[in-house]
Amino acid sequence: FGGYRDHCDQELFLNAVMCFSFSLSVSGFLAFHTYLVLVNRTTLELFQRIPASRFPYDLGWRRNWIQVFGPRPALWLIPTRAGCTADG
């Protein structure tokens, strides 16, 4: 029975390492895209190195967040058109 238990321990360790790695990478993407929403930029605009003082679409972090996700916090995690206020 010792071999079976060692095999299970190895699988558990490997699963824990994989879950940690995946969580770390997804957390990085979450942090980066949250930053992009808060400054109201796309990835392309961020890498064009436009100075913040010349960027006309930044409304402040709170209004940027509401512009993307809408004014109702209950709907922020539900994919709806609540944040769409313009026709473009």
Side-chain angles (χ1 to χ4, degrees), residues 5 8 16 19 24 29 33-34 50 53 58 65-66 77 86-88:
R5 185 172 179 87
C8 288
C19 286
L24 190 63
F29 282 117
H33 284 90
T34 300
I50 300 170
S53 61
D58 188 5
W65 187 270
I66 290 173
L77 297 178
D87 62 355

Side-chain angles (χ1 to χ4, degrees), residues 2-12:
Y4 177 74
R5 185 172 179 87
D6 291 339
H7 183 68
C8 288
D9 290 342
Q10 290 173 352
E11 283 184 5
L12 183 62

Side-chain angles (χ1 to χ4, degrees), residues 7-8 10 14-15 25 28-29 31 33 36 39 42-43 47 50 55 58-60 64 70-71 73 77-78 81 86:
H7 183 68
C8 288
Q10 290 173 352
L14 182 61
N15 285 335
S25 64
F29 282 117
H33 284 90
L36 289 177
V39 297
T42 63
T43 308
F47 290 119
I50 300 170
F55 195 70
D58 188 5
L59 305 173
N64 290 342
L77 297 178
I78 300 172
R81 295 182 54 88

Side-chain angles (χ1 to χ4, degrees), residues 67-85:
Q67 185 179 26
V68 173
F69 290 103
R72 296 171 51 191
L75 298 177
W76 284 352
L77 297 178
I78 300 172
T80 65
R81 295 182 54 88
C84 297
T85 57

Side-chain angles (χ1 to χ4, degrees), residues 12-38:
L12 183 62
F13 177 74
L14 182 61
N15 285 335
V17 168
M18 290 175 56
C19 286
F20 177 75
S21 301
F22 181 73
S23 298
L24 190 63
S25 64
V26 170
S27 296
F29 282 117
L30 177 67
F32 178 65
H33 284 90
T34 300
Y35 170 76
L36 289 177
V37 168
L38 294 178

